[in-house]
Amino acid sequence: MTEIAIPRLKLEHIYKSFPGVQAVSDVSLNVYGHQILALVGENGAGKSTLMNIVNGVVPLDSGKIYLDGQLVSIPSPRRALELGITMIHQELALIPELTVGQNIFLGREPRRWGIGVDWKRLYAQAQRELDRLGIEVSAQATIADLSIAQRQLVEIAKALSYNARLIALDEPTSSLTSRETDTLFRLVRSLREEGVALIYISHRLEEVFELADRIAVMRDGHLVAVGNASEFTPAEVVRLMVGRELAEFFPKVPAKRGEPVLKAVNLKAGREVRGVSLELHRGEIVGLAGLVGSGRTNVARLLFGADRLEGGEIWFEGRQVHLRSPQDAIRLGIGLVPEDRKAQGLFAGQSVRYNAGAGLIQRLSRWGFIRFQAVNRIVRELVERLRVRTPHLNQKVRNLSGGNQQKVIIARWLGLNPRVLILDEPTRGVDVGAKAEIHALMSELAAQGMAILMISSELPEILGVSDRILVMREGRIVAELSREEATQDRIMQAATGQL
Amino acid sequence: MLNGNHSSSFISFLRRTSTYLILLVILVWFALLSPEFLTVGNLLTIALQTSLVALVAIGMTLTIITGGIDLSVGSVAALSGALAAGLATRGGLGTYPGLLIGLLTGLGMGFLNGAMIVWGRIPPFVATLASMAIARGLTLVYTQGRPIAGLDKTFTFWGGQGALGIPVPVWVLIVVAFLAYFLLKHTPLGLHIYAVGGGEETTRLAGVNVGLVKFSVYLISGLCAALSGLILTARLWSAQPNIGVGLELDAIAAAVLGGTSLAGGVGGIPGTLAGAFIIGVLSNGLNLLEMPSYNQQVVKGMVFILAVMLDYFIKQRQAKPKGNPAD
Ligand SMILES: Nc1ncnc2c1ncn2[C@@H]1O[C@H](COP(=O)(O)OP(=O)(O)OP(=O)(O)O)[C@@H](O)[C@H]1O
Ligand SMILES: [Mg+2]
């Protein structure tokens, strides 16, 4: 192919720093049409920053960008779109108050009589776009009414609808389950056939090796390796990312199952939860698997008192409890790391210290005064343990990379040391090293007697961490598998109902 | 579509219509209590009185939807009225150039607000608080604190009786409301106004010139304030340096009563009009019932709180957890 000769995108000596951080340092990289380039690296390595530079979201400090051989400057997202460059952002970038169609065509609405928006055409086009991609969402639906996975799909539809020449996908699968991921992969491959240049950022190495033609590895803002995918092994990529040998997997310590702590009997709420019973014991990690939309998150929220129960009972340490609010749950010692960190978990404008320590403050107060030293000590410990990459504890969480934000929320709950911890997609967007660290921490906490319920759409994670696995489908628990019985196939069969 | 069950669709019906229901309740209530209330003459009076607040509230609604606010409207109304009246009479420019300059004054103050907010990155609350003081100050300097009288018929026409027995200010309101409604619901700018309030960064990423959107709403708000000031001047047959004090609060109240969220991203013209009429009807009705004006303020404040609480209550009932709704 002649097109290979001139790179679609050529980056030369790109530098970018933020106060206290050299986010991107001397990166030179070629991206070609008809190819998928996977960009990998630890949390905070600079992947998103590099893509944001190419998309005109953040200005570069120095360096040159060539597009199809032409030197270009990309001062704004608008310019990037004009040049045929678009991006699916790591943090969902949709406006909750607007409809799907309005979001997709924001900034380029079809006109009527020159001044008015042609709503009919807008919705028809948006619906066609969604249908083409096999996304079962109405163009007229309001974003706020959609689930996270549906939003992610809308975001993908939006990016693809620009007919761009260069598309960056920043962790597009982090909230998708296998079915939607398959849809996405199909789309990405067909775009490659059409000649689009694709940059694919992911922490899931299986995906990287499944999709990518080339792999580029970043570490501490530098590009440390780039080459054809066939030249790498997963272990090598990990070593390049982390810069050292990673003790592959922490051996799972089988749990000593203690007495039951939390028992749910026939929970019901709306159409999402239609009679769920489960029991959590001290010392065990229970994995909750299922497709997106099967009601897993709803169960978690019910157990945390965040939603109202329409039927059923919750028992905590042998007593029936009525959770009227998350406060009630926290008082009993039940914690929840929510799925949507941006909306439900973080105080984005506050510091790392504040976010990680928020839960500790009550516990560590004496006579109404916060014992800051104690809070600081614990926060520092957790931040080091989870390897949160931040210049200092006073950094605003908003300025951390996506994966590091996730670590901060987890740190908050781990610091609280609850008796029951519910984690909803805890390692979404977290790099391999930190993921292993989080898993190890979970095992350790379980061994100390905590009961853990973990929701995850990543089957390897479910299989690797859980002592026992529950599978949900359409609001019910349809299978319970022991660690020994469980396989990816058995879980998927139960989750999709093809038993 | 998603929450298809019975109670939630009723709640969402309430949500959409609560402002109008409150207006209806108040109308019925006054109609029962006072025989003069439901006469054509009185209703036109209400419309006339409300039009001043409503005009300003329309501009205010746009700024609030973007997540901003415009506190300068009352002062801008006064400044526009004073400059127009002054230039038309003792300035010797004549009525139409005077009115034109009045409108340009509104645009100018809107531009100042936009510049401070967009270029200066000053929070809208602070920026417009400053221009509120500046505009009021300029008005007092220009008028020396004294009224400017001697307006001719072409000027006072704008405050008087118009076609079909409907006052001219009401016609102006109808036209402006229609234009604003069209702007919000049917133009790209309107969509972008909602988008900026819903997520500024996201809007920027979509390639929208966010600065321009913000500039537009403050220009429009300034223009609306000027219109209101000119009309009030015309109605009073003179420019008064201290008109429009507290107008911004009435306008904000109207917008909020009408369902516009101070957090941005939500709101609309019909709701704001209903909100303005709730305020107008309340004043008028309480006057007819001969309630002392001090007491009226207390009642208005209470109605305001009740309405907002009702709105909040309904919203809360409607807010469903956004977990993973079953497909
Ligand atoms: N606006 C900002 N202000 C300050 N620092 C920032 C800002 N944006 C990014 N950074 C810092 O730059 C570094 C690189 O961040 P970036 O988001 O590019 O990482 P990433 O490789 O995408 O990580 P992840 O896998 O977690 O998404 C991080 O240390 C981050 O804290
Ligand atoms: Mg990132």
Side-chain angles (χ1 to χ4, degrees), chain A residues 56-57 77-78 81 89 92-98 102-103 106-109 111-112 115-117 119 122 138 141 144-148 150-151 158 162 179 271-272 274 292-298 301 307-308 339 344, chain B residues 1-5 182-210 212 261 263-267 316-327:
Chain A
V57 180
R78 161 141 247 153
L81 292 171
H89 291 270
L92 289 175
L94 294 172
I95 293 164
E97 289 87 0
L98 301 186
Q102 288 173 332
N103 268 286
L106 188 62
R108 54 195 175 113
E109 303 79 11
R111 305 283 175 103
R112 199 171 46 169
I115 46 163
V117 178
W119 292 117
L122 184 147
S138 160
D145 291 333
L146 301 184
S147 71
I148 304 266
Q150 287 172 316
R151 292 183 205 190
K158 177 178 171 183
Y162 283 97
R179 208 180 71 190
R271 288 186 304 161
E272 291 86 18
R274 315 181 190 190
V292 168
S294 59
R296 297 170 305 173
T297 294
N298 303 74
R301 291 176 57 91
D307 292 337
R308 205 178 314 197
E339 175 186 32
Q344 296 167 2
Chain B
M1 193 183 65
L2 283 153
N3 313 323
N5 68 50
F182 181 81
L183 172 81
L184 270 184
K185 294 294 170 193
H186 292 284
T187 70
L189 178 60
L191 179 58
H192 298 166
I193 287 172
Y194 285 101
V196 168
E200 198 173 320
E201 183 61 13
T202 306
T203 312
R204 195 170 77 90
L205 293 179
V208 173
N209 187 339
V210 170
L212 197 64
S261 158
V266 181
Q316 225 183 11
R317 287 297 304 271
Q318 197 197 12
K320 290 277 280 187
K322 302 301 178 321
N324 290 329
D327 333 287

Side-chain angles (χ1 to χ4, degrees), chain A residues 369-387:
Chain A
F369 291 98
I370 301 171
R371 290 161 55 205
F372 280 108
Q373 287 199 338
V375 173
N376 276 346
R377 189 169 41 79
I378 297 181
V379 166
R380 191 161 300 124
E381 240 172 65
L382 286 164
V383 161
E384 266 164 35
R385 177 97 210 247
L386 294 176
R387 311 203 311 158

Side-chain angles (χ1 to χ4, degrees), chain A residues 6-33:
Chain A
I6 301 175
R8 175 67 41 84
L9 175 74
K10 185 181 175 69
L11 300 175
E12 270 184 14
H13 307 295
I14 304 286
Y15 285 85
K16 173 72 197 177
S17 66
F18 295 107
V21 200
Q22 187 68 43
V24 174
S25 184
D26 195 19
V27 170
S28 299
L29 178 66
N30 290 346
V31 187
Y32 298 93

Side-chain angles (χ1 to χ4, degrees), chain B:
Chain B
M1 193 183 65
L2 283 153
N3 313 323
N5 68 50
H6 225 74
S7 75
S8 73
S9 66
F10 177 65
I11 299 264
S12 84
F13 169 78
L14 273 185
R15 165 91 199 83
R16 270 179 284 117
T17 55
S18 65
T19 313
Y20 311 106
L21 287 178
I22 294 170
L23 180 57
L24 197 70
V25 167
I26 296 177
L27 282 172
V28 171
W29 189 52
F30 282 127
L32 291 177
L33 286 182
S34 162
E36 305 117 274
F37 181 77
L38 216 55
T39 58
V40 175
N42 189 49
L43 291 181
L44 284 176
T45 307
I46 293 175
L48 179 64
Q49 282 164 351
T50 303
S51 61
L52 292 167
V53 171
L55 274 173
V56 175
I58 286 171
M60 184 69 78
T61 301
L62 302 190
T63 64
I64 295 179
I65 293 176
T66 64
I69 198 145
D70 187 353
L71 298 178
S72 69
V73 285
S75 307
V76 170
L79 180 62
S80 302
L83 280 178
L87 292 172
T89 55
R90 60 191 195 205
L93 282 183
T95 295
Y96 280 105
L99 287 173
L100 187 65
I101 288 174
L103 292 178
L104 289 177
T105 305
L107 281 178
M109 290 305 295
F111 187 87
L112 176 68
N113 286 332
M116 285 193 285
I117 291 160
V118 175
W119 293 332
R121 291 169 194 266
I122 301 173
F125 192 96
V126 180
T128 58
L129 193 63
S131 56
M132 171 175 162
I134 292 171
R136 184 65 64 187
L138 287 176
T139 312
L140 292 170
V141 170
Y142 182 72
T143 60
Q144 292 299 303
R146 284 187 294 270
I148 301 171
L151 303 179
D152 66 12
K153 278 244 172 50
T154 39
F155 201 122
T156 55
F157 161 81
W158 292 96
Q161 205 57 241
L164 306 177
I166 292 174
V168 176
V170 178
W171 282 117
V172 174
L173 173 63
I174 292 171
V175 171
V176 171
F178 178 78
L179 287 176
Y181 178 82
F182 181 81
L183 172 81
L184 270 184
K185 294 294 170 193
H186 292 284
T187 70
L189 178 60
L191 179 58
H192 298 166
I193 287 172
Y194 285 101
V196 168
E200 198 173 320
E201 183 61 13
T202 306
T203 312
R204 195 170 77 90
L205 293 179
V208 173
N209 187 339
V210 170
L212 197 64
V213 175
K214 290 193 184 172
F215 246 110
S216 317
V217 295
Y218 290 98
L219 286 175
I220 294 171
S221 181
L223 195 61
C224 287
L227 265 177
S228 179
L230 295 178
I231 287 173
L232 185 55
T233 304
R235 270 186 61 197
L236 297 172
W237 292 54
S238 64
Q240 304 281 346
N242 50 12
I243 58 165
V245 172
L247 188 57
E248 65 284 347
L249 296 181
D250 278 345
I252 294 168
V256 171
L257 280 174
T260 301
S261 158
L262 283 172
V266 181
I269 300 303
T272 294
L273 290 181
F277 272 93
I278 289 176
I279 297 173
V281 168
L282 218 50
S283 304
N284 176 277
L286 293 175
N287 275 334
L288 286 182
L289 298 181
E290 287 167 10
M291 181 183 275
S293 71
Y294 296 159
N295 304 28
Q296 283 190 23
Q297 301 221 4
V298 179
V299 172
K300 279 193 211 166
M302 284 178 357
V303 169
F304 182 69
I305 294 285
L306 279 177
V308 172
M309 267 169 52
L310 179 70
D311 185 57
Y312 181 74
F313 174 76
I314 294 169
K315 240 186 233 162
Q316 225 183 11
R317 287 297 304 271
Q318 197 197 12
K320 290 277 280 187
K322 302 301 178 321
N324 290 329
D327 333 287

Side-chain angles (χ1 to χ4, degrees), chain A residues 25-57:
Chain A
S25 184
D26 195 19
V27 170
S28 299
L29 178 66
N30 290 346
V31 187
Y32 298 93
H34 288 289
Q35 280 198 352
I36 300 170
L37 172 87
L39 185 57
V40 297
E42 281 188 295
N43 295 133
K47 307 177 297 291
S48 300
T49 304
L50 189 64
M51 288 306 102
N52 281 333
I53 290 171
V54 173
N55 278 274
V57 180

